[in-house]
Amino acid sequence: RISLLRKGITQKKAEIQKAKVMIAKKPQLEREFQTVQKLIKEYQKCMAGEDKIPDFLSSLTDIANEHKVKLMSINPGKLKKSGKSGIYTEYPIALGIKGGYHQIARFVNKLENLERFVKINYISIASDKKDALKHSADIYLSIFIFQETKSK
């Protein structure tokens, strides 16, 4: 009977020691949790919700005007679930633009440096047969949309 009690005491001491270790780690885990929460908020800005798609599409016109290229077409594609975790959706967009080579390059550079994640999937540039200083470009890009996950 005493040996059983000693064994039980030893087990309880081990459990208490594990609890003390977990308690000691709590402040570090809370800091890590806060850091992860901040990163999530930053990524949510870079992958705004589906409701922000019209804002992005209209900003393309502003960016084109800023870089003196003519936006000939904007053809949004269908939303595609992306990522193994399913936390974001890819939204493909096809653009047709015209302008000088350097203006087109600056336009693409601006897209790549937006706060929102923009992936240039493909770009094709051809010179205008009537004006050697003008080019047309087909740009296939994707933006990403953060999918809210509901906690259980």
Side-chain angles (χ1 to χ4, degrees):
R1 175 121 169 96
I2 292 177
S3 66
L4 281 175
L5 291 173
R6 284 188 181 153
K7 188 176 179 184
I9 290 171
T10 304
Q11 287 176 343
K12 294 297 178 189
K13 283 183 179 179
E15 288 176 20
I16 290 169
Q17 188 59 37
K18 283 182 183 179
K20 285 180 180 179
V21 168
M22 290 173 63
I23 289 168
K25 287 183 178 180
K26 184 181 177 195
Q28 175 190 351
L29 292 173
E30 286 175 340
R31 285 191 303 275
E32 289 176 8
F33 180 75
Q34 293 300 321
T35 301
V36 169
Q37 290 294 95
K38 287 178 186 174
L39 284 172
I40 288 171
K41 285 183 181 181
E42 287 179 33
Y43 284 124
Q44 284 175 328
K45 280 193 258 176
C46 297
M47 294 191 297
E50 202 169 330
D51 60 325
K52 300 294 183 191
I53 292 173
D55 295 340
F56 177 77
L57 294 175
S58 67
S59 75
L60 292 173
T61 303
D62 297 336
I63 297 168
N65 291 336
E66 176 185 339
H67 295 285
K68 301 189 179 16
V69 296
K70 187 173 183 183
L71 199 51
M72 304 303 289
S73 63
I74 300 176
N75 296 311
K78 292 182 180 176
L79 294 173
K80 298 188 274 186
K81 281 277 188 211
S82 296
K84 293 178 183 173
S85 61
I87 61 170
Y88 65 91
T89 301
E90 184 174 350
Y91 187 64
I93 303 167
L95 302 177
I97 63 173
K98 287 192 178 202
Y101 182 82
H102 295 288
Q103 286 84 6
I104 292 172
R106 283 191 279 277
F107 174 80
V108 170
N109 182 266
K110 177 72 174 193
L111 292 177
E112 291 176 327
N113 289 297
L114 290 173
E115 185 176 82
R116 176 186 265 284
F117 287 141
V118 176
K119 174 183 162 192
I120 304 294
N121 297 311
Y122 176 80
I123 184 168
S124 168
I125 301 175
S127 62
D128 187 327
K129 295 185 185 345
K130 296 177 184 170
D131 185 353
L133 298 177
K134 296 291 178 190
H135 296 75
S136 61
D138 293 315
I139 302 170
Y140 299 89
L141 59 91
S142 293
I143 59 173
F144 299 89
I145 299 158
F146 183 76
Q147 297 298 312
E148 292 289 333
T149 55
K150 294 185 173 121
S151 47
K152 296 178 181 179

